[in-house]
Amino acid sequence: LTNTEIEHLFTIARTTDYQFYLMLCTLFFTGIRVGELCGLKWNDFNEDFSSIRIDESLTNKKFENTTKTRYSMRNIAKRIQSKKSRIE
């Protein structure tokens, strides 16, 4: 997507469905897979929300206690501020 297309997508999502907007932001800014996003729980976020632990995913409507590959199990440091500033 171009920067213009990304801005348009975020604008529409923000004004029509805020929960979808938050999910889209999480996907875009962290690079996690949709199944990994669906597998997140509150305890996967550290205390100050500066990182997310990815160790489960949702596949075929069931939770898996693992990710797509063993290398997919990871901690993602929050990169939202730096990427978000490029869009706004």
Side-chain angles (χ1 to χ4, degrees):
L1 296 174
T2 66
N3 284 344
T4 302
E5 291 169 332
I6 293 169
E7 289 175 23
H8 186 66
L9 178 63
F10 277 93
T11 299
I12 290 172
R14 187 179 323 125
T15 58
T16 57
D17 186 341
Y18 197 71
Q19 285 182 324
F20 178 70
Y21 168 71
L22 295 175
M23 291 172 57
L24 192 62
C25 286
T26 304
L27 290 169
F28 181 78
F29 295 126
T30 63
I32 65 174
R33 298 176 181 99
V34 173
E36 293 170 341
L37 174 71
C38 294
L40 288 177
K41 296 186 232 45
W42 281 113
N43 63 352
D44 291 327
F45 296 87
N46 71 347
E47 290 179 7
D48 63 354
F49 290 90
S50 63
S51 70
I52 304 170
R53 183 182 61 244
I54 306 295
D55 60 0
E56 294 184 320
S57 64
L58 179 67
T59 57
N60 298 322
K61 299 182 182 178
K62 63 180 179 177
F63 281 98
E64 300 286 337
N65 288 333
T66 186
T67 55
K68 190 174 180 180
T69 68
R70 65 186 171 114
Y71 301 107
S72 296
M73 296 180 76
R74 63 209 184 275
N75 283 320
I76 298 176
K78 188 168 81 174
R79 300 176 295 231
I80 292 175
Q81 288 303 324
S82 61
K83 285 189 177 181
K84 189 175 181 185
S85 64
R86 285 188 243 160
I87 294 176
E88 295 177 337

